Amino acid sequence: MHETSTLKQETTVTNPTLAFKGQGSELFSIQIVNIALMLVTLGLYYPWAKAKNLQYIYRKTELAGSPFTFHGTGKEMFIGFIKGLGIFAVLIGVFMYGYMHGDNGVKFLCFAAYFIGILALIPLAIHGMMRYRTSRTSWRGIHMGYRGTLGNMYKVYFTGFFLSVITLGIYGFWFETNLRKEILGNTRFGNAKFRFIGDGSDLLLVHIKGYFLTVITFGIYGFWYMKDLIHFYINNILIEQDGKYSRLDSSLTGGQYFKLAVGNLLIMIFTLGLGYAWVVTRTMAAIFNNCEILGEFNPDALAQTEEDYKNATFEDMADMLDIGLV
């Protein structure tokens, strides 16, 4: 009851409460050096390149006029990178052993071990990435943190995966929202807690509406479809602070998303991919500069509550598995 009554009294704390002030030219200068160093080092510079990229993105992202800071280092990520490569090397070794073995029984066991291993790595990578990424993120010295347990992550992931398989993918919408609830529900920003309240049925309706309207409008509605998805993911995030609730709110319009998507496509085509830095900064600006916090969230009242954590093993493994932050 308290949550409902609080949300009805929504007011904007500051305007804007979130902002991204990065420039494509600045990010390009970082990325071009990163690319050159990765070529020279045959890819071993990747963890340092990723750290520098994230450090720029974070310090150009502001809340109430103050920037975020990413404290992760190339050294931490390199250690995680090597560990991740070692785990993948073992799995690939098992797969290749089975591939070359003449016994079909051994071949089956090796292939099964490989695919089960990859499947089991995904929740482990999400859990590890969230612990590392949040612990290395701060704002005005207040660190974020992740308090989820690996056991619960496995429970949510494998339950959702199993139900998605036996329902031929239909449960996938509830799987995705339950995963977001597990991740965001265990994410802390000092003494503030996050929650995701989106429901699988609502996400299903967004997709059904978006799909059919996109088809009958020959693709034109697709831009508004993407805008609706962004609204679903952002507007269903609650922040609890000292018993009071606030929520994120996106004002991004379909027209703005159309300009963003078409502009990004043209930049990538006419620069042969070299304009990727501008695509990143334009996208970040469109998301953050159209996002506000509605309610009674008070950034000045944030207090330090989270402990330090420096294990970056699954930060890089999440990259290898192509897992993004929720």
Side-chain angles (χ1 to χ4, degrees):
M1 294 299 290
H2 179 77
E3 176 181 339
T4 303
S5 61
T6 303
L7 288 175
K8 287 181 179 178
Q9 300 170 4
E10 292 175 345
T11 55
T12 302
V13 179
T14 58
N15 188 18
T17 48
L18 288 165
F20 181 75
K21 298 185 176 179
Q23 299 293 323
S25 56
E26 295 174 345
L27 184 58
F28 178 75
S29 65
I30 294 171
Q31 291 183 342
I32 200 69
V33 173
N34 285 343
I35 291 171
L37 291 174
M38 282 194 289
L39 289 173
V40 170
T41 60
L42 302 178
L44 290 178
Y45 188 75
Y46 172 73
W48 283 271
K50 181 178 178 180
K52 288 184 177 179
N53 198 60
L54 286 174
Q55 287 163 1
Y56 175 80
I57 295 292
Y58 275 58
R59 70 172 175 266
K60 292 298 180 180
T61 304
E62 297 183 354
L63 168 64
S66 296
F68 285 87
T69 301
F70 180 68
H71 301 272
T73 66
K75 181 181 178 182
E76 291 171 357
M77 291 190 176
F78 179 71
I79 295 172
F81 181 65
I82 294 299
K83 290 180 180 177
L85 280 180
I87 294 173
F88 271 107
V90 170
L91 288 173
I92 292 173
V94 170
F95 182 88
M96 293 306 297
Y97 179 78
Y99 180 76
M100 293 184 292
H101 204 285
D103 189 309
N104 286 334
V106 174
K107 194 184 295 286
F108 173 79
L109 288 176
C110 288
F111 287 174
Y114 171 78
F115 287 112
I116 291 173
I118 292 292
L119 195 61
L121 276 180
I122 295 174
L124 183 62
I126 295 173
H127 176 80
M129 178 183 67
M130 286 302 299
R131 284 203 69 186
Y132 177 74
R133 185 71 70 88
T134 55
S135 74
R136 311 308 280 156
T137 300
S138 73
W139 177 84
R140 291 184 185 174
I142 304 297
H143 279 261
M144 297 188 72
Y146 179 72
R147 299 185 181 182
T149 65
L150 185 56
N152 277 341
M153 178 61 75
Y154 270 115
K155 181 180 179 182
V156 171
Y157 184 82
F158 281 113
T159 300
F161 181 81
F162 175 73
L163 292 175
S164 297
V165 170
I166 64 173
T167 59
L168 302 178
I170 295 175
Y171 189 79
F173 303 101
W174 284 265
F175 180 17
E176 182 178 341
T177 52
N178 287 340
L179 201 55
R180 287 177 183 273
K181 287 176 181 176
E182 171 65 19
I183 293 171
L184 284 170
N186 286 295
T187 301
R188 301 289 184 270
F189 184 11
N191 59 334
K193 305 175 184 177
F194 291 92
R195 283 177 55 193
F196 185 75
I197 59 171
D199 186 75
S201 57
D202 294 331
L203 180 58
L204 174 61
L205 290 175
V206 171
H207 280 291
I208 290 175
K209 174 187 171 185
Y211 176 79
F212 283 106
L213 289 179
T214 299
V215 169
I216 64 175
T217 60
F218 301 101
I220 295 174
Y221 189 79
F223 301 102
W224 280 259
Y225 180 11
M226 291 300 106
K227 178 268 296 179
D228 289 342
L229 280 176
I230 291 171
H231 281 196
F232 177 81
Y233 294 132
I234 291 178
N235 296 353
N236 281 307
I237 296 176
L238 293 187
I239 305 172
E240 179 189 355
Q241 183 186 33
D242 299 328
K244 298 175 181 177
Y245 288 83
S246 307
R247 72 172 176 86
L248 298 186
D249 181 79
S250 174
S251 59
L252 184 72
T253 66
Q256 288 174 314
Y257 188 84
F258 170 79
K259 293 178 182 177
L260 172 69
V262 173
N264 286 348
L265 178 63
L266 293 176
I267 288 171
M268 292 298 285
I269 291 174
F270 288 106
T271 65
L272 301 178
L274 290 175
Y276 179 68
W278 282 266
V279 170
V280 171
T281 52
R282 291 178 84 247
T283 303
M284 293 289 291
I287 298 296
F288 282 96
N289 295 347
N290 286 289
C291 189
E292 295 180 338
I293 301 176
L294 303 179
E296 300 180 55
F297 175 68
N298 182 4
D300 294 327
L302 287 171
Q304 189 76 273
T305 59
E306 304 307 304
E307 61 182 19
D308 201 11
Y309 182 80
K310 297 181 179 180
N311 187 341
T313 300
F314 298 105
E315 170 73 27
D316 290 296
M317 185 166 288
D319 272 0
M320 298 174 192
L321 294 169
D322 195 24
I323 298 172
L325 276 173
V326 174

